[in-house]
Amino acid sequence: MIMHREYAYKYGKTKVHFTLDADLIIDELCIKEYPSLPDPVESVKAAIRNPIGARPLRDIVKPGETVAFIVNDTTRVANSHVFMPILFDELNAAGIPDKDMWIVFALGTHRLMTAEEMAGEVGTDVAKRVKMYNSDCKDKSQFQYYGTTSYGTPVYFNKQVVAADHIVCTGSVVHHFFAGFGGGRKAMLPGVSYYETVRKNHSLMLDPNAVIGRLEGNPIYHDQIEGTEMCRPSFLLNVVLNEKKEFLKVFAGDYILAHQECCRFVNEVYGVPVRKEADLVIASCGGYPKDINVYQLQKTMDNTWCAVREGGVVIILGECAEGSGSAAYEKNMQKYVTPEQVAAAVKADFQIGAHKAYAVTRLMKKAEFILVSSMEPELAKLLLFTPAKDLEEALKIAFTKLGSSQPGIILMPMGSLTVPLINNG
């Protein structure tokens, strides 16, 4: 007797209901419930006073010395407004006045921030106390050259950062689709680096080892560390947040060692051990706004890629009410009709922005991606997805492609958050 299970997965602002043969389900991957910190302020103080692999912050900076703090921009939520006042107060107590400290925002290649946005990130009190600067990657005069890495990356860091006696990196950590994890050294490179530094470093994403959840052996990471070591930060404060932007844990200390501990924790929270790769993965991005366009949907694609076998199929429930999310991305895909062509073009001329087409299509070499969305089928095909009007049609296409009515299936109801870890638990 076939037992069927019923499911309801988020799709845009609604839900898709479906049933599957229970015997086909290998696993349903869900994020662990992890308690938020009851008192984040005290946790931050404890972390900077009992750091990993370094002396306490107040023992590192001496009176008369200067400090540059690198802070996330608006594209990366870190709750900087909570911990930045604590860092300044801690150094004030150690004899470091506000005039000897300043903030540089880690924009990477993102747009410049307004004064209001800066104040919003660090809090109005901190904004009144210290000077704050954008790092404009396109203005070469803002950067100082330090050398070239063994990977061929010319290393330029923002002069406002390197002018200080001490550099303190801050930020939040999540999985990153080609750098392994965010946070740590990324505050420096790409955070406060010149455009050419970022472009050359990011071109290493063409390497097959530049994947989500991997630091060791990942050329992007090793290149970033090599560059950052040319102007080594004195201290790091990284935080891990949950989906509600609540603090789960705080890490501080040596910018490499504390970050590695932080990444292990991120794997504990967002990583889900999987016994084996599946023939078929069915995933929801988690609904609006995580599936508002293909740009946002890519995170779910990266995560499902970790769970599907070579030659398998992925079905993604993603409404994509705003289509691809990028006219430049669509224009790029009009030129190239296979993942191989996209890869060749990016390899010949790697540019920030155009790399998005490669980031999406490289995943399609491993598995077929069927997209259940509100996009026109022609647009989905242009982006190299197999379009389906609903899950029923998607399942028919998948079963035909796999040549089986009994494929092993992994379900991912929160595809944008859960990162499958094969043979890791």
Side-chain angles (χ1 to χ4, degrees), residues 26 45 58 82 93 118 131 151 168 171 248 255 272 301 328 342 398 404:
I26 298 172
K45 289 178 181 176
R58 63 165 62 192
V82 175
M118 290 178 175
K131 289 183 178 178
Y151 293 87
V168 176
L248 295 182
Y255 90 96
V272 184
M301 290 181 68
V342 172
S404 170

Side-chain angles (χ1 to χ4, degrees), residues 109 195 295 326 328-329 332 350-358:
T109 60
Y195 179 85
Y295 247 60
S326 168
Y329 170 34
N332 202 276
F350 187 94
Q351 295 297 331
I352 305 295
H355 75 296
K356 193 71 175 185
Y358 172 73

Side-chain angles (χ1 to χ4, degrees), residues 223-282:
D223 187 49
Q224 289 170 340
I225 290 290
E226 195 177 325
T228 302
E229 282 292 292
M230 294 179 184
C231 187
R232 199 176 211 278
S234 298
F235 202 76
L236 169 91
L237 175 73
N238 274 169
V239 301
V240 180
L241 309 175
N242 63 17
E243 191 184 15
K244 299 174 186 173
K245 302 178 185 177
E246 298 167 332
F247 286 89
L248 295 182
K249 208 160 184 181
V250 182
F251 297 82
D254 178 82
Y255 90 96
I256 296 176
L257 298 177
H259 177 252
Q260 288 173 345
E261 286 288 321
C262 189
C263 293
R264 281 191 274 273
F265 178 72
V266 169
N267 260 348
E268 280 180 33
V269 176
Y270 292 107
V272 184
V274 175
R275 292 185 298 278
K276 67 173 184 173
E277 295 171 332
D279 301 313
L280 172 61
V281 176
I282 303 172

